[in-house]
Amino acid sequence: MPNRVRKLLVMSAGLLLAQATLPELAAAHGISGRASLPVPSWLFAWAAAIVLVVSFIALSTLWSAPRLQEAPLRRMLRLPVWPVPLCGLIGLGLFAVVIYAGYAGVNSYTANFDPTFIYVIFWVGVPLASVLFGDFFSAFSPWRATARAIRWTGRRLGVQRTAPFSYPQQLGRWPVVAGLVAFGWLELIYHNHDDPSLLASLSLAYFVLMLAGMALFGIEEWSERGDAFGGYFNMVSRLSLFEVRDRVLYRRRPLSAVAAFPVEPGTVAMVLTTIGVITFDGASNGVLWNSLGPHIRSFFSSLGAGDPASDELADSVGLLIALAAVSCFFFLGIFGMRSVSRAYGIRELSHRFAHTLIPIAFAYILAHYFSLLVWQGQAIGYLASNPLGTHADLFGTAHWHINYNFIDSTVIWYIQVAALVVGHVSGLVLAHDRALSIDRSSLEAVRSQYWMLAVMVTFTCLGLWLLSAVNT
């Protein structure tokens, strides 16, 4: 048996053992009641790890040249002018409903339009739709639509104004990272996060901030790097098969747009933050945090913090721990890759392989929030007719209810596991293709990817760990 194959089998055995044992430790998020699985959950863990290892072996033998480093586009059709302003008007209309419902509606997270729309439809539904249809949010974004309307009006009036400042290149995507962390903290940690009036105020503040950024640095420049939601949705939309450029709809090769994701300061942190926030969301409901969290809360209480403040401070620490843990997993793989070849430094390798985590980030989104979207997302049907919670029935749907039999929890569990496996296999494909493009030989590329296999299996293990045991 060749030495390379023997090493791979030994590593695979260790990864399979870790994959099979860890998932029994934590609680899942998003499923109501225990899933009646026809096979034990540990078997899914073994199967998922086997799929990853087999995929790695297949890639190392059958994928000998890079195929994703270029993103060829196939033209499909030319789009008319009117959809973009129409989408912008719809986005502004929905934004107006959020503001009006937040201030004029009832102070109830179940009866008011805002909490469900922001936390379910916007935060969860838009990323999933972006993978299906491409970066459509850029057309619906209310702040971007407003800025474009102001620019169009100015040009009609003969005012040709350019942005007074160039966007600082060293700032990169760090504003997106800060926005994602802030929104994650609001949703997962702040006790009053479902107050409609607070959500309306924060939405208005964000709207003004985005307009100011676009006025200073340019609409497109700020939308890509300064808008947390625009940057986040654009990142996951690179998994889509569709792209619009200059009003032309193109179809692109799967994963090629992910490989072409431009890397600049903050890009690695943006992808890791996406995974880290979702990791904390799942872990905060599990036995690990339920054991550790009370001790941290007691520490802050001993310093004089009240109950809400000590809870928020402890959970903030937990969020930082989750972000640090996810970052350590990734950089452990990067350090391991550098042990194979020192042709590239740690920073350069992390930049070159940051895109491999994008399908994993989306896999975490889908696996973790799919049940929330298919069940709680139904509430938008009756909330749209009664956004203020005042017994209105604008569209005749106020009598609708959430149908929890719409999809079985077991089916959801299968979808979640499939999302994790497909996402991590996609990450392996991207990592292998990138290694072939930068390493001196295919053998060196395969050797360097032993470590990325470990990273992918670790993230799969973490994802299944968050889904394995459900609260009854």
Side-chain angles (χ1 to χ4, degrees):
M1 181 182 296
N3 187 52
R4 179 165 65 92
V5 177
R6 187 182 299 111
K7 287 181 179 180
L8 179 59
L9 291 177
V10 171
M11 177 179 285
S12 301
L15 293 172
L16 287 170
L17 179 61
Q19 182 79 0
T21 54
L22 281 178
E24 295 299 324
L25 301 177
H29 171 86
I31 296 180
S32 177
R34 184 171 293 278
S36 302
L37 298 175
V39 295
S41 60
W42 62 265
L43 188 58
F44 281 90
W46 278 90
I50 289 172
V51 167
L52 286 172
V53 173
V54 171
S55 300
F56 178 86
I57 295 173
L59 286 170
S60 63
T61 56
L62 302 177
W63 196 304
S64 57
R67 305 176 185 179
L68 300 175
Q69 300 311 301
E70 296 182 358
L73 299 176
R74 182 174 180 179
R75 183 187 176 109
M76 296 181 66
L77 57 92
R78 185 166 184 81
L79 301 174
V81 177
W82 58 265
V84 172
L86 176 61
C87 291
L89 284 174
I90 294 173
L92 278 169
L94 289 171
F95 183 78
V97 172
V98 168
I99 302 304
Y100 182 58
Y103 290 131
V106 297
N107 188 16
S108 169
Y109 74 93
T110 57
N112 193 289
F113 178 82
D114 285 10
T116 296
F117 179 79
I118 291 174
Y119 292 128
V120 180
I121 304 302
F122 180 72
W123 182 239
V124 180
V126 172
L128 269 60
S130 298
V131 173
L132 295 176
F133 306 113
D135 187 18
F136 71 95
F137 178 74
S138 61
F140 283 90
S141 170
W143 36 89
R144 193 169 186 174
T146 301
R148 285 173 169 172
I150 294 173
R151 182 175 62 185
W152 180 85
T153 303
R155 288 175 176 175
R156 287 282 179 171
L157 296 175
V159 179
Q160 298 291 336
R161 181 183 178 275
T162 58
F165 301 103
S166 297
Y167 186 83
Q169 294 303 313
Q170 67 273 17
L171 193 59
R173 292 191 170 93
W174 284 109
V176 176
V177 176
L180 292 177
V181 172
F183 189 87
W185 187 88
L186 171 69
E187 181 195 15
L188 305 177
I189 296 174
Y190 186 57
H191 278 206
N192 205 28
H193 70 279
D194 53 11
D195 180 0
S197 62
L198 172 68
L199 292 175
S201 297
L202 291 175
S203 298
L204 271 178
Y206 190 81
F207 184 89
V208 172
L209 178 63
M210 291 302 99
L211 289 182
M214 288 184 281
L216 293 175
F217 302 109
I219 298 175
E220 282 72 26
E221 191 79 10
W222 182 260
S223 296
E224 292 178 6
R225 297 173 175 84
D227 179 4
F229 301 110
Y232 168 55
F233 298 149
N234 175 266
M235 179 186 74
V236 296
S237 76
R238 290 178 172 270
L239 293 166
S240 174
L241 297 177
F242 306 106
E243 180 179 347
V244 175
R245 291 186 184 180
D246 299 324
R247 291 175 38 214
V248 177
L249 177 64
Y250 295 94
R251 188 176 64 190
R252 55 197 181 193
R253 181 182 299 169
L255 298 180
S256 60
V258 180
F261 188 51
V263 177
E264 51 190 291
T267 300
V268 178
M270 180 173 72
V271 186
L272 292 172
T273 296
T274 303
I275 300 174
V277 169
I278 300 172
T279 298
F280 173 71
D281 191 7
S284 63
N285 297 309
V287 293
L288 180 61
W289 186 245
N290 287 336
S291 300
L292 179 63
H295 298 289
I296 302 178
R297 294 186 189 98
S298 297
F299 169 75
F300 287 113
S301 295
S302 67
L303 297 179
D307 288 342
S310 60
D311 286 345
E312 291 167 355
L313 289 170
D315 286 343
S316 299
V317 172
L319 177 59
L320 293 176
I321 293 173
L323 294 171
V326 167
S327 300
C328 286
F329 290 152
F330 175 68
F331 279 99
L332 178 63
I334 296 298
F335 275 101
M337 289 173 59
R338 194 165 187 270
S339 69
V340 176
S341 171
R342 294 188 175 274
Y344 303 99
I346 296 298
R347 184 175 182 272
E348 185 171 2
L349 282 175
S350 66
H351 283 188
R352 287 181 178 268
F353 286 88
H355 70 288
T356 65
L357 298 182
I358 294 178
I360 297 174
F362 177 70
Y364 270 54
I365 295 168
L366 183 59
H368 197 71
Y369 295 121
F370 181 71
S371 60
L372 176 70
L373 183 63
V374 298
W375 282 335
Q376 189 60 36
Q378 297 177 53
I380 205 66
Y382 59 78
L383 290 173
S385 273
N386 185 22
L388 305 184
T390 55
H391 307 293
D393 193 5
L394 301 177
F395 305 110
T397 59
H399 64 283
W400 287 7
H401 299 284
I402 297 175
N403 179 13
Y404 288 101
N405 295 320
F406 174 72
I407 186 170
D408 186 76
S409 58
T410 301
V411 175
I412 290 178
W413 206 87
Y414 280 118
I415 293 173
Q416 291 172 317
V417 173
L420 288 172
V421 173
V422 172
H424 289 79
V425 169
S426 299
L428 272 180
V429 170
L430 287 165
H432 180 74
D433 194 81
R434 177 57 55 86
L436 289 173
S437 70
I438 66 172
D439 287 328
R440 290 171 293 186
S441 67
S442 59
L443 176 60
E444 187 175 288
V446 171
R447 289 178 59 206
S448 70
Q449 291 314 293
Y450 292 162
W451 289 94
M452 289 309 293
L453 173 63
V455 170
M456 299 305 170
V457 174
T458 300
F459 277 122
T460 307
C461 186
L462 179 63
L464 288 172
W465 177 62
L466 299 174
L467 295 173
S468 58
V470 292
N471 295 321
T472 55

Short mmCIF file of all heavy atoms in Angstrom, two decimals, residues 86-102 113-114 117-118 121-122 126 136-137 139-143 200 203 207 380 383-384 387 395:
data_model
loop_
_atom_site.label_atom_id
_atom_site.label_comp_id
_atom_site.label_asym_id
_atom_site.label_seq_id
_atom_site.Cartn_x
_atom_site.Cartn_y
_atom_site.Cartn_z
N LEU A 86 -38.64 49.31 -10.32
CA LEU A 86 -39.81 48.69 -9.72
C LEU A 86 -39.43 47.91 -8.46
O LEU A 86 -40.11 48.01 -7.43
CB LEU A 86 -40.49 47.75 -10.73
CG LEU A 86 -41.70 46.96 -10.20
CD1 LEU A 86 -42.80 47.91 -9.75
CD2 LEU A 86 -42.21 45.99 -11.26
N CYS A 87 -38.35 47.15 -8.55
CA CYS A 87 -37.88 46.41 -7.37
C CYS A 87 -37.49 47.37 -6.25
O CYS A 87 -37.74 47.11 -5.07
CB CYS A 87 -36.69 45.52 -7.74
SG CYS A 87 -37.10 44.14 -8.83
N GLY A 88 -36.86 48.48 -6.63
CA GLY A 88 -36.51 49.48 -5.62
C GLY A 88 -37.73 50.05 -4.93
O GLY A 88 -37.72 50.25 -3.71
N LEU A 89 -38.80 50.31 -5.68
CA LEU A 89 -40.04 50.80 -5.08
C LEU A 89 -40.64 49.77 -4.13
O LEU A 89 -41.15 50.11 -3.05
CB LEU A 89 -41.05 51.14 -6.18
CG LEU A 89 -40.80 52.44 -6.95
CD1 LEU A 89 -41.79 52.57 -8.10
CD2 LEU A 89 -40.91 53.65 -6.01
N ILE A 90 -40.59 48.49 -4.51
CA ILE A 90 -41.09 47.44 -3.61
C ILE A 90 -40.27 47.39 -2.34
O ILE A 90 -40.82 47.29 -1.23
CB ILE A 90 -41.06 46.08 -4.34
CG1 ILE A 90 -42.04 46.08 -5.52
CG2 ILE A 90 -41.38 44.95 -3.38
CD1 ILE A 90 -41.95 44.84 -6.39
N GLY A 91 -38.95 47.48 -2.48
CA GLY A 91 -38.10 47.49 -1.30
C GLY A 91 -38.38 48.67 -0.39
O GLY A 91 -38.44 48.52 0.84
N LEU A 92 -38.58 49.85 -0.98
CA LEU A 92 -38.91 51.02 -0.18
C LEU A 92 -40.28 50.88 0.48
O LEU A 92 -40.48 51.30 1.63
CB LEU A 92 -38.90 52.28 -1.07
CG LEU A 92 -37.53 52.90 -1.32
CD1 LEU A 92 -37.61 53.94 -2.42
CD2 LEU A 92 -36.97 53.52 -0.04
N GLY A 93 -41.23 50.25 -0.24
CA GLY A 93 -42.55 50.03 0.35
C GLY A 93 -42.48 49.11 1.55
O GLY A 93 -43.11 49.38 2.59
N LEU A 94 -41.72 48.04 1.44
CA LEU A 94 -41.57 47.11 2.58
C LEU A 94 -40.86 47.80 3.74
O LEU A 94 -41.21 47.60 4.91
CB LEU A 94 -40.80 45.88 2.14
CG LEU A 94 -41.54 44.92 1.21
CD1 LEU A 94 -40.61 43.84 0.68
CD2 LEU A 94 -42.72 44.27 1.94
N PHE A 95 -39.87 48.63 3.42
CA PHE A 95 -39.17 49.36 4.47
C PHE A 95 -40.13 50.32 5.19
O PHE A 95 -40.09 50.44 6.42
CB PHE A 95 -38.00 50.13 3.87
CG PHE A 95 -37.17 50.86 4.88
CD1 PHE A 95 -36.23 50.19 5.65
CD2 PHE A 95 -37.31 52.23 5.06
CE1 PHE A 95 -35.47 50.87 6.59
CE2 PHE A 95 -36.56 52.92 5.99
CZ PHE A 95 -35.63 52.23 6.76
N ALA A 96 -41.01 50.97 4.43
CA ALA A 96 -41.99 51.88 5.03
C ALA A 96 -42.94 51.12 5.94
O ALA A 96 -43.32 51.61 7.02
CB ALA A 96 -42.77 52.60 3.94
N VAL A 97 -43.32 49.91 5.53
CA VAL A 97 -44.20 49.08 6.39
C VAL A 97 -43.49 48.74 7.69
O VAL A 97 -44.09 48.78 8.78
CB VAL A 97 -44.62 47.80 5.65
CG1 VAL A 97 -45.36 46.85 6.59
CG2 VAL A 97 -45.52 48.14 4.46
N VAL A 98 -42.19 48.41 7.61
CA VAL A 98 -41.42 48.09 8.82
C VAL A 98 -41.41 49.28 9.77
O VAL A 98 -41.63 49.13 10.99
CB VAL A 98 -39.98 47.67 8.44
CG1 VAL A 98 -39.08 47.64 9.68
CG2 VAL A 98 -39.99 46.31 7.76
N ILE A 99 -41.16 50.47 9.25
CA ILE A 99 -41.11 51.65 10.11
C ILE A 99 -42.49 51.96 10.71
O ILE A 99 -42.62 52.20 11.92
CB ILE A 99 -40.59 52.87 9.31
CG1 ILE A 99 -39.20 52.57 8.72
CG2 ILE A 99 -40.53 54.10 10.20
CD1 ILE A 99 -38.18 52.15 9.73
N TYR A 100 -43.51 51.92 9.87
CA TYR A 100 -44.87 52.24 10.35
C TYR A 100 -45.35 51.22 11.37
O TYR A 100 -45.89 51.58 12.42
CB TYR A 100 -45.82 52.31 9.15
CG TYR A 100 -47.23 52.69 9.52
CD1 TYR A 100 -47.50 53.89 10.18
CD2 TYR A 100 -48.30 51.85 9.22
CE1 TYR A 100 -48.80 54.25 10.53
CE2 TYR A 100 -49.60 52.20 9.56
CZ TYR A 100 -49.84 53.39 10.22
OH TYR A 100 -51.13 53.74 10.57
N ALA A 101 -45.16 49.94 11.07
CA ALA A 101 -45.61 48.90 12.00
C ALA A 101 -44.84 48.97 13.31
O ALA A 101 -45.40 48.71 14.39
CB ALA A 101 -45.43 47.52 11.35
N GLY A 102 -43.55 49.32 13.23
CA GLY A 102 -42.75 49.39 14.46
C GLY A 102 -43.23 50.46 15.41
O GLY A 102 -43.25 50.25 16.63
N PHE A 113 -45.73 42.98 12.62
CA PHE A 113 -45.09 42.57 11.37
C PHE A 113 -43.56 42.50 11.48
O PHE A 113 -42.92 41.63 10.87
CB PHE A 113 -45.50 43.58 10.28
CG PHE A 113 -44.89 43.34 8.93
CD1 PHE A 113 -45.44 42.41 8.06
CD2 PHE A 113 -43.78 44.07 8.52
CE1 PHE A 113 -44.90 42.21 6.80
CE2 PHE A 113 -43.23 43.88 7.26
CZ PHE A 113 -43.79 42.94 6.40
N ASP A 114 -42.96 43.40 12.26
CA ASP A 114 -41.52 43.61 12.19
C ASP A 114 -40.66 42.42 12.62
O ASP A 114 -39.74 42.04 11.88
CB ASP A 114 -41.15 44.85 13.01
CG ASP A 114 -41.53 46.13 12.29
OD1 ASP A 114 -42.23 46.05 11.26
OD2 ASP A 114 -41.13 47.21 12.75
N PHE A 117 -40.74 39.60 9.99
CA PHE A 117 -40.19 40.02 8.70
C PHE A 117 -38.68 40.17 8.78
O PHE A 117 -37.95 39.72 7.88
CB PHE A 117 -40.82 41.34 8.25
CG PHE A 117 -40.28 41.83 6.94
CD1 PHE A 117 -40.73 41.29 5.74
CD2 PHE A 117 -39.30 42.82 6.89
CE1 PHE A 117 -40.22 41.72 4.52
CE2 PHE A 117 -38.78 43.25 5.68
CZ PHE A 117 -39.26 42.71 4.50
N ILE A 118 -38.17 40.80 9.84
CA ILE A 118 -36.73 41.08 9.93
C ILE A 118 -35.93 39.82 10.24
O ILE A 118 -34.93 39.53 9.57
CB ILE A 118 -36.48 42.17 10.99
CG1 ILE A 118 -37.03 43.51 10.49
CG2 ILE A 118 -34.98 42.29 11.29
CD1 ILE A 118 -36.95 44.62 11.52
N ILE A 121 -37.91 36.47 7.43
CA ILE A 121 -37.96 36.69 5.99
C ILE A 121 -36.68 37.35 5.49
O ILE A 121 -36.06 36.90 4.51
CB ILE A 121 -39.19 37.53 5.60
CG1 ILE A 121 -40.48 36.86 6.12
CG2 ILE A 121 -39.24 37.72 4.10
CD1 ILE A 121 -40.69 35.45 5.62
N PHE A 122 -36.26 38.42 6.15
CA PHE A 122 -35.10 39.18 5.70
C PHE A 122 -33.80 38.45 6.01
O PHE A 122 -32.99 38.18 5.11
CB PHE A 122 -35.12 40.57 6.35
CG PHE A 122 -33.96 41.46 5.95
CD1 PHE A 122 -33.90 42.02 4.68
CD2 PHE A 122 -32.95 41.74 6.85
CE1 PHE A 122 -32.85 42.84 4.32
CE2 PHE A 122 -31.89 42.56 6.49
CZ PHE A 122 -31.84 43.11 5.23
N VAL A 126 -33.86 35.87 2.62
CA VAL A 126 -33.12 36.53 1.54
C VAL A 126 -31.85 35.76 1.17
O VAL A 126 -31.57 35.58 -0.02
CB VAL A 126 -32.82 37.99 1.91
CG1 VAL A 126 -31.89 38.63 0.87
CG2 VAL A 126 -34.12 38.79 1.99
N PHE A 136 -30.30 39.43 -6.00
CA PHE A 136 -31.46 40.27 -6.27
C PHE A 136 -31.63 41.38 -5.25
O PHE A 136 -32.31 42.38 -5.50
CB PHE A 136 -32.74 39.41 -6.31
CG PHE A 136 -33.17 38.88 -4.97
CD1 PHE A 136 -34.12 39.57 -4.23
CD2 PHE A 136 -32.63 37.72 -4.45
CE1 PHE A 136 -34.52 39.10 -2.99
CE2 PHE A 136 -33.03 37.24 -3.21
CZ PHE A 136 -33.98 37.94 -2.49
N PHE A 137 -31.01 41.23 -4.06
CA PHE A 137 -31.18 42.25 -3.03
C PHE A 137 -30.63 43.59 -3.48
O PHE A 137 -31.11 44.64 -3.03
CB PHE A 137 -30.50 41.81 -1.73
CG PHE A 137 -30.60 42.83 -0.63
CD1 PHE A 137 -31.80 43.02 0.04
CD2 PHE A 137 -29.51 43.62 -0.28
CE1 PHE A 137 -31.91 43.98 1.04
CE2 PHE A 137 -29.62 44.57 0.72
CZ PHE A 137 -30.82 44.75 1.38
N ALA A 139 -31.13 45.04 -6.11
CA ALA A 139 -32.22 45.79 -6.76
C ALA A 139 -33.29 46.20 -5.77
O ALA A 139 -33.92 47.25 -5.93
CB ALA A 139 -32.84 44.94 -7.88
N PHE A 140 -33.53 45.39 -4.73
CA PHE A 140 -34.60 45.67 -3.77
C PHE A 140 -34.14 46.52 -2.59
O PHE A 140 -34.98 47.04 -1.86
CB PHE A 140 -35.17 44.35 -3.22
CG PHE A 140 -36.08 43.64 -4.17
CD1 PHE A 140 -35.59 42.71 -5.08
CD2 PHE A 140 -37.45 43.89 -4.17
CE1 PHE A 140 -36.42 42.05 -5.95
CE2 PHE A 140 -38.30 43.23 -5.05
CZ PHE A 140 -37.78 42.31 -5.94
N SER A 141 -32.83 46.66 -2.38
CA SER A 141 -32.32 47.39 -1.23
C SER A 141 -32.92 48.79 -1.14
O SER A 141 -32.74 49.60 -2.06
CB SER A 141 -30.79 47.50 -1.32
OG SER A 141 -30.30 48.39 -0.35
N PRO A 142 -33.62 49.13 -0.07
CA PRO A 142 -34.29 50.44 0.00
C PRO A 142 -33.30 51.60 0.06
O PRO A 142 -33.56 52.66 -0.52
CB PRO A 142 -35.13 50.35 1.27
CG PRO A 142 -34.52 49.26 2.07
CD PRO A 142 -33.94 48.28 1.09
N TRP A 143 -32.19 51.43 0.76
CA TRP A 143 -31.22 52.52 0.84
C TRP A 143 -30.48 52.69 -0.49
O TRP A 143 -30.20 53.81 -0.90
CB TRP A 143 -30.24 52.31 1.99
CG TRP A 143 -29.85 50.89 2.23
CD1 TRP A 143 -28.82 50.20 1.68
CD2 TRP A 143 -30.51 49.98 3.12
NE1 TRP A 143 -28.77 48.92 2.15
CE2 TRP A 143 -29.79 48.75 3.05
CE3 TRP A 143 -31.60 50.06 3.98
CZ2 TRP A 143 -30.16 47.62 3.79
CZ3 TRP A 143 -31.97 48.94 4.73
CH2 TRP A 143 -31.25 47.74 4.63
N ALA A 200 -37.76 49.35 14.50
CA ALA A 200 -38.01 50.45 13.57
C ALA A 200 -36.95 51.53 13.70
O ALA A 200 -36.45 52.07 12.69
CB ALA A 200 -39.40 51.02 13.81
N SER A 203 -33.70 50.31 12.23
CA SER A 203 -33.81 50.27 10.76
C SER A 203 -33.62 51.67 10.17
O SER A 203 -32.92 51.85 9.16
CB SER A 203 -35.17 49.70 10.34
OG SER A 203 -35.33 48.37 10.79
N PHE A 207 -30.60 52.93 7.77
CA PHE A 207 -30.93 53.57 6.50
C PHE A 207 -30.14 54.87 6.33
O PHE A 207 -29.52 55.11 5.28
CB PHE A 207 -32.44 53.83 6.46
CG PHE A 207 -32.94 54.39 5.17
CD1 PHE A 207 -33.36 53.56 4.14
CD2 PHE A 207 -33.01 55.77 4.98
CE1 PHE A 207 -33.83 54.09 2.95
CE2 PHE A 207 -33.48 56.30 3.79
CZ PHE A 207 -33.89 55.45 2.77
N ILE A 380 -45.89 35.24 7.98
CA ILE A 380 -45.90 36.49 7.20
C ILE A 380 -47.19 36.59 6.39
O ILE A 380 -47.60 37.69 6.01
CB ILE A 380 -44.66 36.58 6.30
CG1 ILE A 380 -44.33 38.04 5.98
CG2 ILE A 380 -44.82 35.77 5.03
CD1 ILE A 380 -43.90 38.85 7.18
N LEU A 383 -49.57 38.18 8.87
CA LEU A 383 -49.04 39.46 9.32
C LEU A 383 -49.08 40.51 8.22
O LEU A 383 -49.21 41.71 8.50
CB LEU A 383 -47.60 39.28 9.81
CG LEU A 383 -47.43 38.50 11.11
CD1 LEU A 383 -45.96 38.23 11.39
CD2 LEU A 383 -48.07 39.24 12.28
N ALA A 384 -48.98 40.09 6.96
CA ALA A 384 -49.07 41.05 5.86
C ALA A 384 -50.44 41.69 5.80
O ALA A 384 -50.57 42.87 5.45
CB ALA A 384 -48.76 40.34 4.54
N PRO A 387 -50.47 44.03 9.66
CA PRO A 387 -49.11 44.32 10.10
C PRO A 387 -49.01 45.02 11.44
O PRO A 387 -47.99 44.91 12.12
CB PRO A 387 -48.56 45.21 8.96
CG PRO A 387 -49.78 45.82 8.34
CD PRO A 387 -50.85 44.79 8.46
N PHE A 395 -55.55 41.89 2.99
CA PHE A 395 -55.50 40.99 1.83
C PHE A 395 -56.35 39.74 2.00
O PHE A 395 -56.24 38.81 1.21
CB PHE A 395 -54.04 40.60 1.56
CG PHE A 395 -53.11 41.76 1.37
CD1 PHE A 395 -52.15 42.05 2.33
CD2 PHE A 395 -53.21 42.58 0.26
CE1 PHE A 395 -51.29 43.13 2.18
CE2 PHE A 395 -52.35 43.66 0.09
CZ PHE A 395 -51.39 43.95 1.05
#
